[in-house]
Every structure is written in structure tokens, then in C-alpha cells.
């Protein structure tokens, strides 16, 4: 709902777990689902809770015998650093200088950088490898990518300390 974020688009959600039923031949007495809603910068837990409560209210209207309960079990804020921030532009320039075609991308995963950003310390995710290779049974990064990343970070740090 609302205007899409320039890099992230709209907030996404998915059903993470579903449980219910006692046996394949018995209609379940109840079903429980856990939803995850990825927040965007500027959205709050209250915004997301209201979004899901509206859906639950609509479901109750359509299926009065349905008992729906909505609550928040874990909250993590969406966060961002402006593309023109010296942290971002410095990393882009260091990457270019090391022969890497840099790009600013958004990430829907939550990382600890959000805590730093909330505390007023700009933080971004930057590193070697592909996110498609991460968090899998066969997670890996090529050695040359790690070496190149180290050179970029060294160049960035040196330039940052000079300013």
C-alpha cells in the first residue's frame, strides 16, 4: 500500500510456518500460521499490525465462525542510508578504483546494520559473493572476490581517514 520505496518497492510478506490437524483423515480443529512482513524504511510495527488486523477483520466479516488472532512476535525496523551519503559514495568510488562495477542495491533481509543506523551511525551491507549463494547448505565465495573486497575496503578506509 502507498508509494513504493525507490529501491525496495512494496513491503513483502510470506507465510513462514503452518501447523494444524491431528491426522490426514480428520478435519483440523484449528490451524496456526506465522507470517513475516518485511518492513520498509519509515514503516512501523504499528503500521504492519494495522495492515494485518484489517485483513483479519475482513476475514471475520466473510467467515464469521473464523476466530482470527493477530499479534507481533518479533519486530525489526526497515532502514536505509541515502545513496549520496559519504559511506555509500566512498564505497562506490573505492570499488570503481579496484575495477569493480559498483551499484547501489536494496536488500529485504534484516541485518545488524539497522541497529547502527537507528543509533545514528550510518551502516550498509557490503561484501563479496552473491546473496543467492548465502544461507544455503552450499554457501561459498570465490577467494578472488574476498581479496578484491579487502582491497576495496582498505582503499575506502584510507580515503575516509584522509577526509
Amino acid at each position: 500500500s502507498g508509494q513504493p520505496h525507490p529501491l525496495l518497492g512494496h513491503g513483502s510478506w510470506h507465510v513462514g510456518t503452518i501447523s494444524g490437524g491431528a491426522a490426514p483423515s480428520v478435519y483440523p480443529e484449528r490451524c496456526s500460521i506465522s507470517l513475516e512482513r518485511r518492513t520498509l524504511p519509515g514503516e512501523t510495527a504499528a503500521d504492519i499490525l494495522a495492515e494485518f488486523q484489517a485483513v483479519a477483520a475482513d476475514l471475520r466479516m466473510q467467515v464469521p465462525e473464523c476466530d482470527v488472532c493477530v499479534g507481533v512476535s518479533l519486530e525489526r525496523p526497515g532502514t536505509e542510508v541515502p545513496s549520496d551519503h559519504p559511506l555509500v559514495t566512498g564505497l562506490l568510488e573505492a570499488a570503481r578504483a579496484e575495477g569493480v562495477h559498483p551499484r547501489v542495491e536494496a536488500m529485504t533481509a534484516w541485518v545488524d546494520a539497522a541497529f547502527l543506523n537507528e543509533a545514528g551511525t550510518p551502516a550498509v551491507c557490503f561484501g563479496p559473493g552473491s546473496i543467492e549463494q548465502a544461507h544455503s547448505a552450499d554457501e561459498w565465495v570465490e577467494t578472488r572476490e574476498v581479496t578484491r573486497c579487502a582491497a576495496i575496503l582498505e582503499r575506502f578506509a584510507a580515503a575516509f581517514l584522509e577526509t
Side-chain angles (χ1 to χ4, degrees), residues 86 90 93-94 97 152-163:
E93 181 54 40
I152 292 169
L153 291 173
E154 182 179 4
R155 183 181 291 272
F156 167 76
F160 184 78
L161 291 173
E162 288 177 5
T163 58

Side-chain angles (χ1 to χ4, degrees), residues 102-129:
R103 63 191 182 280
V104 174
E105 293 182 347
M107 211 169 100
T108 60
W110 190 88
V111 295
D112 290 342
F115 286 138
L116 293 167
N117 284 324
E118 278 191 311
T121 302
V124 298
C125 290
F126 178 84

Side-chain angles (χ1 to χ4, degrees), residues 8-81:
L8 293 166
H10 293 283
S12 65
W13 67 273
H14 70 273
V15 175
T17 61
I18 302 172
S19 62
S25 61
V26 178
Y27 288 99
E29 179 182 339
R30 72 186 276 122
C31 176
S32 175
I33 63 172
S34 294
L35 302 171
E36 180 182 69
R37 168 63 159 74
R38 298 286 171 108
T39 55
L40 298 174
E43 290 182 323
T44 66
D47 295 333
I48 305 309
L49 185 58
E51 181 182 312
F52 282 107
Q53 285 175 332
V55 171
D58 188 46
L59 180 60
R60 284 187 205 100
M61 295 272 294
Q62 293 181 37
V63 185
E65 66 275 13
C66 185
D67 181 20
V68 179
C69 177
V70 177
V72 176
S73 61
L74 176 66
E75 173 191 351
R76 293 288 189 247
T79 184
E80 66 184 327
V81 173

